[in-house]
Amino acid sequence: MSAKVKVVHEELGEFIFSTRDISDGGVFIVVDTEPFAPNLGDTVTVQVQGLPVPAPVLEMVVVRKTNDGYGLQFDQNGD
């Protein structure tokens, strides 16, 4: 499944990315030319876009960086 998501980082701002490899544990966001460069361990909020009703806003942790994006894991400590 691929979706558009809004990712908000406290210091870097708000971005819209495409997803790849969505699973029970997290999601991979594809970062092309956006100036998005979080550190591993940073917390971001993620909200799926384009649904008929607003999706929940979820806290996620940046756990992996590749050449084309970032792996985000659902925050196990968040409520």
Side-chain angles (χ1 to χ4, degrees):
M1 175 181 160
S2 179
K4 294 285 186 191
V5 292
K6 177 170 65 173
V7 177
V8 180
H9 186 281
E10 188 174 281
E11 295 173 8
L12 301 176
E14 184 177 302
F15 303 86
I16 301 291
F17 296 117
S18 293
T19 62
R20 187 173 76 206
D21 300 333
I22 297 174
S23 71
D24 290 343
V27 65
F28 183 87
I29 56 170
V30 179
V31 177
D32 291 321
T33 60
E34 295 287 341
F36 183 73
N39 294 310
L40 296 182
D42 282 1
T43 299
V44 295
T45 61
V46 178
Q47 182 183 35
V48 175
Q49 302 295 289
L51 300 177
V53 296
V57 176
L58 303 173
E59 283 198 357
M60 302 189 82
V61 178
V62 180
V63 294
R64 182 168 51 106
K65 179 186 184 315
T66 69
N67 289 339
D68 61 344
Y70 291 87
L72 308 178
Q73 183 177 47
F74 293 111
D75 188 355
Q76 303 299 321
N77 299 320
D79 292 332

